[in-house]
Amino acid sequence: MMEPIIKIENFTFYYPDSQAAALAGINLAIRPGEFVGLTGPTGAGKTTLTLALNGIIPNFQGGRLAGRVTVAGRDTATTPCARLAGIIGSVFQDPEAQLVAETVEDELAFGLENLAVPREEMRARITMALEMVAITGLRHRPLSQLSGGQKQKVAIAAAAALQPRILVLDEPTSELDPRSSLEIVNLLQRFNRDYGMTIILIEQKVSLLAPLVPRMVCLHQGRIVADAAPRQVLNQDQLVAELGLEIPPVTTLFRLLRRAGAYHGDLPLEVDQGCRELERLLGPAGTGAFPCRRQ
Amino acid sequence: MPARSFLHELNPLTKVAWSLAVITVAFAFQQPLPLLGLWASVLVVALAGGILKTILPAIRGLIIFAGIFILFQIFLIGEGNTVFTLIPGLGFGRVTDVGLTACTMLALRMLAMTSTIPVILATTPPKEMIVAFVEKLRVPYVYALMLVTSLRFIPTLQEELHLIVQAQRARAYDLESRNIFRRLAGIVPLALPLLLVSVQRARTMAISMETRGFGAGPRTSLRTSTFSALDAGVIAACLLCTLALVLIALR
């Protein structure tokens, strides 16, 4: 088994002037090349956890803390944020506020300039990052003319240009329409599959997350309450209800069927799986009790 | 910046040099007519650069400002022959020929000097400005970045303000009261959310910059600031003209 690239040991964090722990006794190990979905209700500590990973906590955001966070062998408490920048890339929720430059090219150059990458290599890396995100055509466009989805892609490309081994995304789709959200999510899947990038995706929309990630971590009131494959997590009725997880409609249907005693198998996460299960229950599509034909 | 002209090709510092030349000449002359000529020359440069239309609103604002400036000054100068009096019976609001000339001169001087600023801004991408200042004038990068980032945030804030106005209107908040005091008080519920949102935004941006290695140490730059033959020519021409005009003015 590979050595974890991210190791969080007994990590507890209090924001200044706060009596309640934002994170309490977190233990989490993530291996290189994993694609982890992180979910939970608002205020569960998801954002705090990402800030602990990229070193913003405790380097930039102070507070009381205990425990240790190690990223690629470096303790985040003693490594400056700028050092971590080449290892762990971060993308945030607000497409507007996280961009600093005027044009797409300058935005991608910003991080590379900070890390003193030579000019020729910088050009090559910008070209590559734009290709990875498939926005080569936007290179010389001013950021003010881009849509929210495009801006978010630029933010991802800007992180990718630094060639980090890990990418942490804090609800990158929360301000996007469903179509752009899906594009972003597919993009991340490609990053993970083709470049072996370790990805941690924070996402409230479990229906987007569940079919995508092999591993889902649920946070609730600063604690990890579940860490398993999405299907196993969604199997826990009480947990789903308590956290108010927004689960895929097809999964809801089969949970209802199961509660009624009509279904006993694994919960499907995608419509296609659901259709197969229905066929098995009711006979092939287009016959008898299941007259509608799958497209 | 779609229109490319020789003005866009110039190094930002060359344009600053031109601006300084205009300021020097403006101070050398004491008569309204040469200053009018100087102001006209600035507008001709804008016209040649194809940006006169773009900067027209800014110029209009400067003219209004100059008008207010004249109104405040003109009644304070008592020397010279009276041209006319605002309220003849009381002798209040006396305008003299000396006052009229002096005020016109000051207003035109101000117009000539300040009109160069929109010309520079309209033809220079902020990034080029940063690079030129940091590379050639050794201005610390952080200061240059601070200036440009604040410029970038203006449209974002406008959008945000628009949103807040809509939100307050939707809750029947009266923003168009005729009473000036109520109208001024009405700014508070707009300014406060805007301030809070901006602080939040600034925080996010700072975090985003940290995670991309800001302040890691010595940095490189994608673009570089170069002086071309055109720049050298323009700077030489500015120097020569300034020298000649100052000599004429002081003769």
Side-chain angles (χ1 to χ4, degrees):
Chain A
M1 180 161 279
M2 262 189 285
E3 191 63 16
I5 193 165
I6 290 174
K7 224 158 65 185
I8 305 178
E9 295 159 282
N10 262 322
F11 190 75
T12 299
F13 182 76
Y14 293 83
Y15 280 100
D17 310 318
S18 171
Q19 293 305 309
L23 290 174
I26 298 285
N27 281 295
L28 189 67
I30 294 171
R31 289 184 306 282
E34 269 200 279
F35 192 164
V36 180
L38 190 62
T39 195
T42 309
K46 306 188 295 293
T47 298
T48 310
L49 191 60
T50 58
L51 297 180
L53 287 177
N54 51 32
I56 294 294
I57 293 173
N59 289 307
F60 184 82
Q61 166 72 63
R64 277 188 296 141
L65 64 99
R68 232 158 74 97
V69 178
T70 325
V71 174
R74 288 171 180 78
D75 188 333
T76 57
T78 54
T79 315
C81 282
R83 267 288 174 65
L84 291 167
I87 302 167
I88 184 161
S90 311
V91 175
F92 302 93
Q93 204 169 340
D94 186 346
E96 195 68 49
Q98 61 183 311
L99 302 177
V100 294
E102 266 222 310
T103 67
V104 173
E105 187 177 46
D106 289 334
E107 185 63 41
L108 265 66
F110 179 75
L112 297 167
E113 290 174 339
N114 287 334
L115 299 184
V117 174
R119 190 168 295 142
E120 278 319 304
E121 193 190 332
M122 210 186 291
R123 293 225 170 82
R125 284 224 223 164
I126 291 173
T127 307
M128 203 173 100
L130 289 171
E131 276 168 12
M132 279 168 82
V133 185
I135 51 167
T136 307
L138 301 181
R139 185 165 188 152
H140 299 289
R141 291 271 295 277
L143 289 168
S144 53
Q145 288 179 7
L146 303 186
S147 71
Q150 286 173 325
K151 278 182 188 160
Q152 207 54 290
K153 282 184 189 170
V154 172
I156 293 175
L162 300 180
Q163 300 179 345
R165 296 169 63 191
I166 311 161
L167 200 55
V168 184
L169 304 101
D170 187 359
E171 301 195 37
T173 69
S174 69
E175 292 183 21
L176 305 185
D177 58 75
R179 190 203 175 116
S180 311
S181 302
L182 206 62
E183 274 177 28
I184 297 284
V185 154
N186 288 337
L187 188 71
L188 296 176
Q189 196 161 37
R190 215 148 37 78
F191 272 24
N192 178 253
R193 198 183 52 215
D194 298 351
Y195 306 101
M197 218 181 257
T198 309
I199 293 182
I200 299 155
L201 173 62
I202 286 139
E203 183 60 75
Q204 295 232 23
K205 297 172 226 157
V206 177
S207 50
L208 204 62
L209 202 59
L212 186 73
V213 296
R215 179 178 175 191
M216 199 157 102
V217 175
C218 293
L219 275 176
H220 186 44
Q221 295 174 348
R223 293 172 193 282
I224 293 178
V225 289
D227 178 359
R231 186 169 286 121
Q232 283 165 312
V233 173
L234 298 186
N235 252 330
Q236 303 174 44
D237 289 353
Q238 202 193 335
L239 182 84
V240 169
E242 195 184 342
L243 268 61
L245 296 182
E246 180 257 352
I247 63 176
V250 62
T251 313
T252 310
L253 171 67
F254 278 85
R255 280 171 43 143
L256 291 172
L257 286 173
R258 192 171 60 181
R259 200 178 304 162
Y263 182 71
H264 304 286
D266 278 339
L267 289 177
L269 303 173
E270 283 175 299
V271 176
D272 267 8
Q273 282 172 359
C275 286
R276 274 196 296 279
E277 292 298 322
L278 275 183
E279 277 183 12
R280 198 148 30 159
L281 277 178
L282 305 170
T287 61
F290 191 26
C292 63
R293 187 175 286 280
R294 188 144 53 97
Q295 296 302 309
Chain B
M1 245 155 269
R4 303 295 295 185
S5 71
F6 75 99
L7 272 183
H8 295 81
E9 302 299 329
L10 286 176
N11 188 292
L13 294 181
T14 308
K15 289 177 244 185
V16 172
W18 165 68
S19 177
L20 289 176
V22 170
I23 291 173
T24 313
V25 174
F27 274 112
F29 281 102
Q30 309 286 341
Q31 304 85 26
L33 212 57
L35 287 170
L36 186 66
L38 184 67
W39 183 38
S41 83
V42 172
L43 297 182
V44 166
V45 168
L47 186 68
I51 46 137
L52 188 58
K53 231 181 182 159
T54 329
I55 65 165
L56 220 50
I59 300 291
R60 194 174 301 141
L62 287 172
I63 291 175
I64 293 172
F65 192 71
I68 295 172
F69 183 78
I70 289 181
L71 274 184
F72 269 95
Q73 281 286 319
I74 202 147
F75 301 113
L76 299 177
I77 298 174
E79 304 165 51
N81 307 315
T82 306
V83 179
F84 70 93
T85 311
L86 212 56
I87 308 168
L90 294 169
F92 175 77
R94 210 163 66 87
V95 174
T96 68
D97 53 352
V98 175
L100 213 54
T101 324
C103 286
T104 318
M105 192 265 287
L106 285 175
L108 282 172
R109 179 182 281 167
M110 194 204 80
L111 273 177
M113 292 186 328
T114 48
S115 295
T116 57
I117 296 169
V119 175
I120 297 179
L121 289 181
T123 55
T124 317
K127 174 79 183 190
E128 262 178 41
M129 197 92 87
I130 296 195
V131 173
F133 274 78
V134 172
E135 267 189 27
K136 295 285 189 284
L137 295 185
R138 309 264 156 226
V139 172
Y141 174 74
V142 183
Y143 296 126
L145 180 79
M146 217 145 58
L147 181 77
V148 167
T149 315
S150 48
L151 286 179
R152 192 200 82 87
F153 256 105
I154 293 173
T156 312
L157 286 183
Q158 275 172 342
E159 214 168 280
E160 207 74 59
L161 179 65
H162 183 70
L163 212 66
I164 293 169
V165 168
Q166 299 288 322
Q168 303 289 43
R169 278 219 182 105
R171 291 188 284 172
Y173 189 77
D174 182 17
L175 287 166
E176 272 106 31
S177 170
R178 289 186 169 244
N179 183 328
I180 184 93
F181 293 105
R182 282 183 61 185
R183 210 163 165 165
L184 282 177
I187 294 175
V188 176
L190 300 183
L192 208 62
L194 189 64
L195 186 72
L196 292 175
V197 168
S198 312
V199 169
Q200 186 57 43
R201 277 262 158 89
R203 207 186 120 79
T204 309
M205 184 177 265
I207 288 178
S208 162
M209 284 166 66
E210 289 282 326
T211 60
R212 283 191 284 156
F214 184 70
R219 59 196 311 281
T220 50
S221 174
L222 177 65
R223 289 165 213 284
T224 181
S225 182
T226 50
F227 279 105
S228 62
L230 185 65
D231 286 298
V234 170
I235 292 179
C238 282
L239 267 175
L240 268 175
C241 287
T242 310
L243 204 68
L245 288 170
V246 168
L247 281 178
I248 292 173
L250 297 180
R251 198 161 40 98

